[in-house]
Amino acid sequence: MGRITEDFMRLVGEIQGGRRDRQQMMRDLGRNGAERKRDFHAAHAEMSRRQKNALRDFVTGIEGKVSELLKGFAGDLAGGRRAWGGNEPGTSHIQKGGKARRR
């Protein structure tokens, strides 16, 4: 055999070997893809569970803080009413007997 024939035979062998390697890689990717998909679904479920818990805790914290703020505002408003004339909420500036009080 001549040198060119040997080079072509080697090249054909490399091409066929590369084809076999690619086919094996594609089969492996198919198997590994299903495994990756299972892992992804498990990771996604775990992430979702953690996020739900974190959001629940966040909302609970916010509700408590807002409740405290509202109580504080209510106290401030009541104090302001007392300081500006002693009226309680829902009472008007009309005195007993129907006479208007001077402001």
Side-chain angles (χ1 to χ4, degrees):
M1 271 206 246
R3 180 155 173 96
I4 293 178
T5 304
E6 289 174 7
D7 287 343
F8 272 108
M9 295 300 285
R10 183 182 48 77
L11 182 60
V12 167
E14 288 176 5
I15 290 171
Q16 289 175 344
R19 183 168 188 249
R20 281 189 300 272
D21 291 345
R22 282 191 307 280
Q23 288 173 340
Q24 182 62 42
M25 182 182 69
M26 293 303 289
R27 282 191 295 271
D28 291 344
L29 282 175
R31 279 185 235 122
N32 291 342
E35 187 177 318
R36 279 192 211 124
K37 195 174 181 180
R38 272 192 314 272
D39 291 345
F40 173 79
H41 286 299
H44 186 265
E46 174 65 18
M47 179 187 64
S48 177
R49 185 187 61 77
R50 282 190 208 156
Q51 186 174 23
K52 283 179 187 178
N53 291 338
L55 288 172
R56 184 189 63 234
D57 294 344
F58 175 75
V59 168
T60 301
I62 290 291
E63 287 172 344
K65 289 177 182 177
V66 168
S67 178
E68 289 174 17
L69 284 172
L70 290 174
K71 287 177 187 174
F73 293 150
D76 290 346
L77 286 172
R81 283 188 193 100
R82 284 190 300 275
W84 285 95
N87 288 341
E88 289 299 317
T91 61
S92 68
H93 62 282
I94 306 291
Q95 293 180 342
K96 289 182 184 175
K99 294 184 181 175
R101 198 174 22 167
R102 261 193 170 174
R103 289 185 177 210

